[in-house]
């Protein structure tokens, strides 16, 4: 007894290029805008199969009958459950194009293609739903721009303040240095013992640091403050640096 099983029919092979050309011509000749109905593109493909194309160089010349199958354009594959290639490519053609951008912290935002939405969607509700994320994104970016502008203005104010403070400090240091050249003994005494101060030196020191005690010992820092890189320099080191610079 022969138990050999006869091989089944070979699976049909389809050209994705031909399928896309059929969909393209449907767009050009039948329906320029809106979603492509599977039933209509199937009927269009069936007519192409039955029609005679005189241009031998046309990719759709002598189109195989398998491209005119209703199941191919409208249904899923019985074995795999996935859409047949014709249906799949029609579904892809109906999908709206989107652009994806990443912000500075790698969050991805989807931006719909306005042109694609207008040409593919006929229903107003579908169009609103498709373009709503774009409206939300514009509002979000506008609010962010206002917030960033306010932060920039605050930073500019801080920059101006510190620039002016730096200029005052620099001027005070030069005044102190010039005074020290003619009063070495007095300045040397201040740097080493702090036991005496003239009015001029006192004002120069106070000009360098608006609050000398806060600068030297960081008295006003609280637990709630964000700790920044320390600008406090050991007083003995500062005295030594000034002493060596001006040979006091």
């Amino acid at each position: 007894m022969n138990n050999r099983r006869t091989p089944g029919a070979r699976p049909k092979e389809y050209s994705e290029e031909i399928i896309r050309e059929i969909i393209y011509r449907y767009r050009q000749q039948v329906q320029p805008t809106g979603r492509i109905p599977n039933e209509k593109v199937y009927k269009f493909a069936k007519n192409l199969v039955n029609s005679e194309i005189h241009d031998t160089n046309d990719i759709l010349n002598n189109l195989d009958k398998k491209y005119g199958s209703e199941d191919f354009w409208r249904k899923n594959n019985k074995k795999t459950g996935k859409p047949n290639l014709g249906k799949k490519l029609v579904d892809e053609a109906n999908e709206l194009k989107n652009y994806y951008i990443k912000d500075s912290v790698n969050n991805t935002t989807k931006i719909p293609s306005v042109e694609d939405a207008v040409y593919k969607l006929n229903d107003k509700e579908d169009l609103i739903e498709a373009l709503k994320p774009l409206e939300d994104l514009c509002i979000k970016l506008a609010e962010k721009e206002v917030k960033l502008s306010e932060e920039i203005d605050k930073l500019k104010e801080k920059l101006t303040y510190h620039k002016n403070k730096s200029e005052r400090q620099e001027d005070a240091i030069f005044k102190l240095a010039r005074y020290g050249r003619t009063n070495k003994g007095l300045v040397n005494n201040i740097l080493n013992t702090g036991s005496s101060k003239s009015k001029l030196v006192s004002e120069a020191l106070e000009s360098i640091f608006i609050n000398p005690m806060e600068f030297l010992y960081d008295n006003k820092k609280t637990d709630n403050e964000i700790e920044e890189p320390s600008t406090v320099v050991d007083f003995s080191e500062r005295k030594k640096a000034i002493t060596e610079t001006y040979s006091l």
Side-chain angles (χ1 to χ4, degrees):
M1 182 175 178
N2 188 357
N3 293 325
R4 293 175 61 186
R5 302 176 65 181
T6 57
R10 293 180 60 184
K12 295 179 182 179
E13 295 182 359
Y14 295 89
S15 167
E16 188 170 315
E17 182 182 9
I18 290 178
I19 299 169
R20 293 188 184 278
E21 182 64 22
I22 293 173
I23 296 172
Y24 172 76
R25 294 196 190 183
Y26 175 83
R27 276 289 191 202
Q28 294 295 311
Q29 301 175 21
V30 180
Q31 186 183 341
T33 62
R35 290 186 176 275
I36 300 174
N38 295 83
E39 181 179 358
K40 289 186 177 181
V41 76
Y42 144 65
K43 291 180 179 179
F44 178 76
K46 186 176 180 180
N47 289 333
L48 287 175
V49 170
N50 296 327
S51 65
E52 182 178 355
I53 299 177
H54 300 287
D55 185 358
T56 56
N57 294 321
D58 193 321
I59 190 175
L60 301 184
N61 186 42
N62 293 324
L63 194 61
D64 193 298
K65 291 183 179 180
K66 63 187 177 185
Y67 290 100
S69 167
E70 182 177 3
D71 288 355
F72 177 72
W73 293 101
R74 299 187 60 187
K75 298 182 180 180
N76 294 337
N77 187 285
K78 294 180 180 180
K79 293 182 178 180
T80 64
K82 297 180 180 180
N84 286 314
L85 189 56
K87 183 177 184 297
K88 176 186 176 188
L89 295 183
V90 170
D91 291 343
E92 289 181 3
N94 284 328
E95 289 179 357
L96 296 182
K97 294 179 182 177
N98 296 292
Y99 305 97
Y100 297 88
I101 59 173
K102 287 186 177 182
D103 58 19
S104 57
V105 291
N106 285 329
N107 291 325
T108 302
T109 301
K110 182 176 72 173
I111 301 177
S113 168
V114 175
E115 182 178 356
D116 214 38
V118 170
Y119 277 106
K120 290 182 178 180
L121 301 178
N122 291 329
D123 185 78
K124 290 183 179 179
E125 294 299 323
D126 290 341
L127 188 59
I128 291 173
E129 182 181 354
L131 298 181
K132 186 65 176 176
L134 189 59
E135 178 186 14
D136 295 340
L137 177 62
C138 289
I139 295 173
K140 180 180 178 181
L141 291 178
E143 293 174 345
K144 186 175 182 180
E145 191 275 336
V146 171
K147 184 178 180 181
L148 288 175
S149 295
E150 293 174 352
E151 292 179 1
I152 289 173
D153 289 339
K154 291 180 181 178
L155 289 174
K156 285 181 178 179
E157 291 178 2
K158 288 184 179 181
L159 180 62
T160 301
Y161 166 77
H162 287 293
K163 181 180 179 181
N164 293 336
K165 180 179 177 181
S166 176
E167 291 175 352
R168 293 196 305 271
Q169 291 175 346
E170 183 179 352
D171 182 63
I173 291 172
F174 282 131
K175 287 180 180 178
L176 181 60
R178 287 196 298 270
Y179 184 77
R181 287 180 179 274
T182 56
N183 298 273
K184 292 184 179 180
L186 177 61
V187 176
N188 187 48
N189 185 49
I190 291 172
L191 291 173
N192 286 285
T193 65
S195 58
S196 63
K197 289 185 180 179
S198 70
K199 182 178 180 181
L200 177 60
V201 174
S202 177
E203 290 179 353
L205 290 173
E206 290 176 0
S207 296
I208 296 173
F209 312 119
I210 294 177
N211 189 335
M213 294 302 294
E214 181 181 356
F215 178 83
L216 292 173
Y217 302 108
D218 204 18
N219 286 343
K220 294 185 178 181
K221 185 172 70 175
T222 65
D223 294 336
N224 295 328
E225 291 180 354
I226 299 175
E227 187 172 355
E228 298 180 351
S230 177
T231 56
V232 180
V233 180
D234 184 82
F235 193 44
S236 61
E237 293 181 2
R238 188 184 300 107
K239 289 193 296 182
K240 180 180 178 182
I242 297 175
T243 303
E244 292 177 350
T245 301
Y246 297 103
S247 302
L248 300 176

